[in-house]
Amino acid sequence: MTVYLHDSQGVWIAFRTDPRSRDLFNPDGDWIGWFPWGDDDAVTPDGEYLGTIRGDRLFAQSSHSYRGSPGYPGAPAYPGAAPYPGAASYTGLPDGCDDVAGTFLWPRLAS
């Protein structure tokens, strides 16, 4: 079952192919991160903190502490296109959080 993640505005920004998948993709199917510690903290393929899952949201915590270098897991296979889940409702940003920067979500556009 695909797990869809949204920003505070309710925009679909990322997905996992199932709840236990360690890989995170943007809606285009680009690999944007992974979960090296088996919890809700995601890092970029380069090991930089990306964000933390809270419910069906992916937020960047401004005071996230450094957990060490997770290494490089190797790129996953292309997941294929995920069907559009529709928009989620608006939610305010939790204290100490921001929406994940677009450069992390759309790395091909940033380069």
Side-chain angles (χ1 to χ4, degrees), residues 10 12 21 27 36 42 44 51-52 64 81 83-85 91 95-96 101:
W12 173 36
S21 172
T44 66
T52 302
H64 190 269
Y84 177 65
T91 183
D95 288 341

Side-chain angles (χ1 to χ4, degrees), residues 46-92:
D46 295 332
E48 187 174 346
Y49 173 71
L50 174 68
T52 302
I53 294 177
R54 290 193 177 189
D56 68 344
R57 308 298 166 135
L58 181 65
F59 295 123
Q61 295 177 332
S62 55
S63 63
H64 190 269
S65 58
Y66 180 70
R67 295 178 71 176
S69 175
Y72 181 76
Y78 178 69
Y84 177 65
S89 62
Y90 168 83
T91 183

Side-chain angles (χ1 to χ4, degrees), residues 8-105:
S8 66
Q9 301 296 311
V11 175
W12 173 36
I13 57 171
F15 72 96
R16 295 169 90 168
T17 55
D18 70 64
R20 293 182 310 270
S21 172
R22 73 176 188 167
D23 298 306
L24 186 65
F25 302 93
N26 69 15
D28 290 339
D30 298 324
W31 180 47
I32 59 170
W34 63 295
F35 298 88
W37 298 288
D39 57 13
D40 293 331
D41 288 341
V43 299
T44 66
D46 295 332
E48 187 174 346
Y49 173 71
L50 174 68
T52 302
I53 294 177
R54 290 193 177 189
D56 68 344
R57 308 298 166 135
L58 181 65
F59 295 123
Q61 295 177 332
S62 55
S63 63
H64 190 269
S65 58
Y66 180 70
R67 295 178 71 176
S69 175
Y72 181 76
Y78 178 69
Y84 177 65
S89 62
Y90 168 83
T91 183
L93 288 166
D95 288 341
C97 292
D98 288 307
D99 284 319
V100 176
T103 54
F104 288 131
L105 300 173

